[in-house]
Amino acid sequence: MKKWLYALAVLVLVLLLGAFALTRLVDTDRIKRLLVEQTREKTGRTLVIEGDLSWRFFPSVGFTLGKTALLNPAGFEQGATLSVGEVSLDVALQPLLDNRLEVGHAVLRNARLHLITRKDGSTNLDDLQRLSKREAAAPDAETTEPDVNESAPDQARRLEFVSLAGVKVVDAEVLLQDERNAGLTRLNRVNLTLDRFAPGEEVPFGFSSNLFSDAVQGNVNAEGRLWLSPEYDRLRLDDLLVSLGATGRAVPGNKELTLSGDLAYHIANKQAAFTGVNMTVGSLALDGELNVNHAPDVPQIRFDLHTPLLDLEQLSAEWSSEQGGAVSGAAATDNHAEVPAEGASLPPSVASSEPDLSILKTLDVQGRLSADQLKVQGMEMENLELNIKVRQGKASAEQISARLYDGTLNGTVSLNANPTPARFALQTELKGVDGYQLLNNAAGMDSLEGRASVDLNVTGRGLSSQAIKESLAGTSRVEFADGALRGINIAAMIRRAYAQVKGQPVMEEQEAQKTDFSALTADFAIGEGKVSTDNLRLASPLLRVRGEGETSLLNDSLDVLLNTSIVGTLKGQDGETLDELKNITVPVRISGSYKEPRYSLDMQRVFDLYLKEKAGKEAERLQRKLDEKLNGELGDKINEKLPGLLDKLGL
């Protein structure tokens, strides 16, 4: 037992003597001077080391460097590009004695990185990027051969090789300052773990931080595999997985975003290419490709994205500013939280006041979006495809195509946010759709059915619900085939009214309250808060209808007159044909609202028709009696006294 204790004591003594010798043989002040001098020589920048360089022997051999800062290059504001509160390095001892610094793991605590982009687009990292390119372009021989003009003492004190096994950043801060738009984004509590630092090789990494900007606050977590080019000008993040929880002025409520894919970034050109994108935020899920070039003053975004479901009303509710800018997690999950009421006549996406569209002036976006299913204003569409452009305050959706209700939709939409209020234009073509399903789901109308085709071409100013109704202007062409007016049987209405005028008992109708037609067409003029037509036409085997009238967009009122002609055989309640009404025009008026129309017959017109028919029958009866008299003795006497008079009178 004593031998083991003696051996242990000897081992401890050797370690202590080794540590004492190391602190005496290695001059830490000399290492600090070498770091400062080589930083100035290589980069032209100033490295300030205020803290001490001290050795540590537990849990591994290495040294700790106190407060250190790399100052900004000339031309930028005074301050540090990178400052570190403490750097802890694991080092290999033997290479250090030979002026070679081989670092096992580096731990940076309380670091602060301040990236500045000036108005001309230059940054305080450009000089370091140019340096890495020059070194990469130089032949290996030039980088390894000693300079013949360099003195032996200078060569002796140069660090010949630097290697780094891994990096760990703890509680760091990153400031992104953009003088082009006075933007400032801050990341704090930044933690980064890099298993090893090996340019040209893929290495696992982990990242977390808190995000603060004028419009967004949140927390970020990411992991994946990092590849950094030997020239330090390109990087890749493969198998990237990002989760972001955000709130703020631009993010109503609390939002959770997950993002995965492969990201390639060209540092010098400031171009990012994101492939294999899978993103989920709220009810929206996207996949595809995304490219960003933030070298220009206005970043360029290009994309080709797909979503299985695009529910605009759900998204509008999720991103409505009425939810508030910052909702606590408890409030967000409260089952008793109030739900905003639905809009009465316009979709929830239409605001009650003019929205702020200033962001459109800061975007350059172009790409294609496809959706397996689209839900908007109660309508459901399939196989949606459209091209989106946003540039210089103008936005457009072109080459829109979709299938809906057994038909097709094609069109374009444009928006100009530069004037105040904003201006918009819409061109839409619907073909072969189920008109009843379309009108019922889109506007709550159930009074019309048939196979519909619609051409709509409108413009307007303002995006609030009131502004849209007041400024909407344009034209529309509507065609229905093999359909019906629901809620009214015009033929039955005429038959009942005619029986009522004649004093006949009015029997309760057994027929369906529906007027079938083979074709219905109309051209509409839209403007001054109204939709009007003067050439509505309806055709059926029994009826011919010519109509005119208008509806108000402001109060949904209807005022339409249908001049109805009976061209077929109409039977009365007793089954007898009403031939006296054939080719007679009877006015039918539609009032109320388009959701609840009211139909009425012009009874005065029906009464006039009845009196005319009755007077005609009485005239016929008198004519017959007169004919009987004139063809008897009275006729003979007249012919004797006034020969040929009755023939001239047609009697």
Side-chain angles (χ1 to χ4, degrees), residues 59-99:
S60 59
V61 177
F63 59 84
T64 300
L65 181 63
K67 188 175 181 181
T68 305
L70 178 65
L71 302 186
N72 281 326
F76 286 83
E77 63 183 53
Q78 291 184 352
T81 302
L82 174 65
S83 62
V84 182
E86 180 184 277
V87 180
S88 179
L89 304 176
D90 295 338
V91 297
L93 297 180
Q94 184 60 44
L96 190 62
L97 297 175
D98 297 331
N99 284 336

Side-chain angles (χ1 to χ4, degrees), residues 335-627:
N335 293 329
H336 302 287
E338 293 186 3
V339 179
E342 294 185 2
S345 56
L346 286 176
S349 55
V350 179
S352 58
S353 60
E354 291 296 327
D356 182 5
L357 301 175
S358 58
I359 189 174
L360 297 182
K361 300 178 183 179
T362 64
L363 295 176
D364 184 350
V365 178
Q366 183 174 336
R368 186 156 187 82
L369 175 66
S370 61
D372 297 336
Q373 186 178 14
L374 169 67
K375 293 183 178 181
V376 54
Q377 198 178 347
M379 295 185 293
E380 295 186 5
M381 306 182 193
E382 297 177 345
N383 302 329
L384 171 71
E385 292 189 358
L386 69 157
N387 292 334
I388 298 175
K389 293 182 180 179
V390 180
R391 192 168 185 268
Q392 296 179 344
K394 297 180 180 180
S396 66
E398 301 175 347
Q399 299 181 24
I400 303 173
S401 64
R403 293 195 58 83
L404 72 165
Y405 306 121
D406 302 324
T408 60
L409 175 146
N410 294 279
T412 61
V413 181
S414 62
L415 174 67
N416 187 351
N418 293 309
T420 302
R423 297 182 179 181
F424 64 89
L426 170 65
Q427 292 181 329
T428 303
E429 181 183 73
L430 295 171
K431 284 189 175 181
V433 301
D434 185 330
Y436 176 77
Q437 293 292 335
L438 174 66
L439 294 174
N440 191 32
N441 292 332
M445 293 178 58
D446 61 357
S447 57
L448 190 59
E449 64 181 52
R451 188 63 55 187
S453 295
V454 180
D455 289 328
L456 179 65
N457 189 344
V458 294
T459 60
R461 299 184 306 276
L463 297 179
S464 68
S465 58
Q466 187 70 16
I468 291 175
K469 293 176 181 179
E470 293 178 350
S471 69
L472 196 67
T475 60
S476 178
R477 169 75 177 176
V478 176
E479 298 179 357
F480 275 77
D482 300 324
L485 290 174
R486 297 165 61 98
I488 179 176
N489 188 327
I490 296 178
M493 178 182 287
I494 295 174
R495 180 168 51 239
R496 288 165 58 85
Y498 196 66
Q500 185 177 358
V501 169
K502 293 174 67 175
Q504 297 177 350
V506 179
M507 299 175 61
E508 194 171 325
E509 290 289 344
Q510 301 297 323
E511 300 179 54
Q513 293 300 301
K514 186 167 68 170
T515 300
D516 296 325
F517 59 78
S518 57
L520 185 153
T521 63
D523 292 304
F524 294 96
I526 305 170
E528 299 180 351
K530 299 178 181 179
V531 179
S532 60
T533 181
D534 59 3
N535 69 345
L536 187 148
R537 301 288 185 268
L538 182 149
S540 75
L542 181 62
L543 305 173
R544 291 290 185 272
V545 177
R546 294 178 178 269
E548 60 183 22
E550 64 183 27
T551 179
S552 172
L553 297 175
L554 303 178
N555 58 20
D556 300 336
S557 64
L558 269 177
D559 184 11
V560 178
L561 181 63
L562 303 179
N563 292 310
T564 306
S565 300
I566 300 174
V567 296
T569 300
L570 181 64
K571 294 184 178 181
Q573 297 184 121
D574 55 4
E576 296 182 0
T577 60
L578 302 178
D579 293 332
E580 61 269 21
L581 294 180
K582 194 169 184 178
N583 297 321
I584 298 298
T585 300
V586 180
V588 177
R589 187 166 295 279
I590 306 176
S591 58
S593 68
Y594 66 86
K595 288 186 178 181
E596 297 181 356
R598 296 193 300 269
Y599 303 93
S600 60
L601 201 61
D602 190 336
M603 294 299 295
Q604 182 61 48
R605 175 64 173 164
V606 175
F607 186 68
D608 291 344
L609 291 174
Y610 169 69
L611 292 180
K612 183 178 180 181
E613 183 244 346
K614 189 172 183 180
K617 287 185 176 181
E618 184 64 24
E620 290 179 1
R621 187 181 66 81
L622 294 174
Q623 179 69 44
R624 286 193 303 270
K625 287 186 177 182
L626 181 60
D627 287 344

